[in-house]
Amino acid sequence: MEDMEEDGFDANDDHNHNYCASSGGNVHTYLRTRLSDVTSMFPQSLPSSPLPGGEPEPGPGKVCCSGSTTTTGGSKFMDSDSSSEGSEVSETDSPASSASAASKFTLNSTSKFLLNTMAVEDYQKNHWPNLEKAIDLLLVQKPTDHISISYAQIYSYVYKCVCQQHSELLYKDLMLKITSHLKQVSSDLQACPPENFIENFNLALSQYTASLQCIVPVFMYMNKFYIETKLNRDLKEELMKLFADHVAEKHVKPLMPLLIEAHSMPFQVQPSTMANVVKGLYSLRPEWAQLAPALFSGFIPQINPPAVESQLSDYAARDQKLQMELSMNGFPRGDQSRKRASEDS
C-alpha cells in the first residue's frame, strides 16, 4: 500500500466492493503490473505434495489477493462483483493446472475407494454380527417361546446396510446363514427314530415357518429394494425354497410311507400333526401329492380328479366299504332308533 501511495494511485471501493481509481487509471492494468512484480520475486513453483487431508499443498509461487484470484500459471483474475462489466479476465489454462486437476481426480477416486472399504469393514465388524445373533435366536425359538429382541434395532441395521449399498452382501450372508442352519436341522432329523420322525419333522417345519414370520418383516427393506427390484424374487419364497431343498426333499421318501401308515391307523399320530405335515409338503412342492394321492386328498381339496356321473355307483360302494371298516375297528354308527323311516313303503 505504501508503494501504491508513492505512485500517486488512490483506490476507493464502492458499496459493491468494486475498486475505483480517482486518478482515472485502469485498476486492472495496475494490479496485473504489481502482481507480476511480486511473482518475479519468488522462484519457480515446485510440484505440490499431498497433505494428509488429501488436498494438494499450494506451491510457493501461488499468490492470493483480496478481491481477486490470481495464480502463477496466469489462469484467472476475478473481482468480487462478477456481475459488473469487465469483472473477469481469463487466460489460457496451463498444463500445470491440467495436471493438478488430474491429480485431484485421482485423490478423490482413492478417497472414495478407501471410504467404501471402511464401510465394508464396518458392515463385517458391527452390522452383520448383530444381525447374525438375532437370526440365531429367531431360528431356534419354539412357537410357544418368547424372546426379547429389539425388532426396531434389527430393522435399523438392515436399513443402514441397504443405504450403504451392501444389499448384495447382506443377501448372500443371510442365505448362507439360513442354509447352514437347515443343514443342521436335516442332520438332526436323520438321527431320529422312525416312530418319532413325523412329530420331529412337524416340529422343524413349524419352528422354521414361525421364525420366518419374524425374519421376513425385519428384512423388508432389503426385500423391497434389492430382491424384488433386481432379482425379481420374494424373500419368503426364497427362504421356503431353502427348506424344501435342504430338509424336505432329503426326507420326503422315508417320510411318505410313515404318513401313509399313520393315515391308515386313526389317531396313531395327532390329526393336527398329520394335517400340518401334509399341507406343508404340498405348499413346498405341489407335485409331491402325486406320490400319495389318497393321503393328500384327505387334507387338501381337489387333489383327485373331478367326479363324473358315470362313476356314482363306484363312489357309493367305496363309502359303504369305509363305513364297514370303521364299524369293524370300533367306531359304531350310534343310535339309529330315532332315524326317520324310509318313505319307500
Side-chain angles (χ1 to χ4, degrees):
M1 294 300 294
E2 293 178 357
D3 294 338
M4 293 174 65
E5 291 176 355
E6 291 176 1
D7 293 342
F9 179 82
D10 186 12
N12 299 320
D13 66 322
D14 56 6
H15 64 282
N16 290 328
H17 303 288
N18 292 323
Y19 294 96
C20 302
S22 60
S23 62
N26 192 339
V27 64
H28 298 292
T29 306
Y30 179 80
L31 287 175
R32 187 181 302 178
T33 304
R34 296 299 297 169
L35 289 173
S36 63
D37 294 339
V38 173
T39 55
S40 63
M41 297 170 60
F42 295 94
Q44 188 175 2
S45 62
L46 298 175
S48 59
S49 59
L51 292 173
E55 293 294 334
E57 180 182 3
K62 186 173 183 179
V63 180
C64 299
C65 179
S66 61
S68 62
T69 302
T70 309
T71 46
T72 58
S75 62
K76 189 176 292 186
F77 296 89
M78 182 179 293
D79 289 339
S80 62
D81 189 3
S82 60
S83 62
S84 60
E85 184 178 0
S87 62
E88 181 176 354
V89 180
S90 301
E91 296 181 2
T92 307
D93 292 338
S94 63
S97 63
S98 300
S100 177
S103 176
K104 186 175 182 181
F105 176 78
T106 303
L107 290 173
N108 290 337
S109 301
T110 305
S111 300
K112 291 180 180 179
F113 175 78
L114 293 175
L115 181 62
N116 187 39
T117 303
M118 293 175 62
V120 172
E121 292 179 356
D122 185 48
Y123 165 82
Q124 294 175 345
K125 293 180 179 179
N126 298 322
H127 293 73
W128 174 245
N130 293 324
L131 288 172
E132 188 176 18
K133 293 178 182 178
I135 293 171
D136 285 333
L137 293 176
L138 293 174
L139 287 174
V140 299
Q141 73 170 348
K142 297 180 180 179
T144 57
D145 292 344
H146 174 73
I147 300 178
S148 178
I149 295 179
S150 176
Y151 292 98
Q153 187 176 11
I154 301 174
Y155 184 87
S156 66
Y157 286 137
V158 176
Y159 177 82
K160 292 177 182 178
C161 293
V162 175
C163 291
Q164 293 178 1
Q165 299 182 356
H166 297 320
S167 301
E168 182 178 0
L169 185 59
L170 180 61
Y171 173 76
K172 290 181 179 179
D173 287 340
L174 178 62
M175 293 294 109
L176 290 175
K177 181 63 181 179
I178 300 297
T179 300
S180 176
H181 170 74
L182 292 178
K183 288 182 178 179
Q184 182 62 40
V185 172
S186 178
S187 178
D188 294 341
L189 287 175
Q190 192 73 32
C192 289
E195 57 271 13
N196 298 328
F197 190 81
I198 296 177
E199 288 81 0
N200 290 333
F201 185 88
N202 177 63
L203 178 60
L205 178 60
S206 302
Q207 187 174 359
Y208 184 73
T209 53
S211 65
L212 293 190
Q213 294 179 1
C214 301
I215 294 175
V216 173
V218 296
F219 282 87
M220 178 181 61
Y221 202 76
M222 181 188 71
N223 183 42
K224 181 177 180 181
F225 290 97
Y226 178 73
I227 301 178
E228 292 181 355
T229 304
K230 294 187 178 182
L231 304 181
N232 295 323
R233 294 197 289 265
D234 181 73
L235 178 59
K236 186 176 181 180
E237 294 178 358
E238 289 291 296
L239 297 180
M240 291 302 298
K241 185 176 182 297
L242 290 180
F243 187 89
D245 294 339
H246 297 284
V247 179
E249 187 174 7
K250 293 184 178 181
H251 299 283
V252 67
K253 290 184 178 179
L255 179 62
M256 201 63 64
L258 296 175
L259 290 173
I260 295 174
E261 181 182 359
H263 184 62
S264 63
M265 301 176 64
F267 298 103
Q268 181 180 358
V269 178
Q270 290 293 331
S272 58
T273 300
M274 289 287 297
N276 189 52
V277 172
V278 173
K279 292 179 179 179
L281 292 175
Y282 184 79
S283 64
L284 294 174
R285 298 281 177 83
E287 58 270 19
W288 284 341
Q290 303 302 322
L291 299 176
L295 171 65
F296 280 82
S297 63
F299 300 93
I300 300 173
Q302 299 181 355
I303 293 297
N304 292 324
V308 293
E309 185 178 358
S310 59
Q311 296 182 355
L312 290 178
S313 58
D314 296 336
Y315 302 150
R318 192 180 306 169
D319 291 341
Q320 290 178 359
K321 180 180 179 182
L322 177 61
Q323 292 177 4
M324 185 69 66
E325 292 177 353
L326 290 175
S327 63
M328 293 176 61
N329 291 328
F331 293 94
R333 299 179 61 182
D335 186 11
Q336 302 291 324
S337 60
R338 303 186 63 181
K339 185 177 179 181
R340 187 174 61 177
S342 176
E343 296 179 356
D344 295 339
S345 56

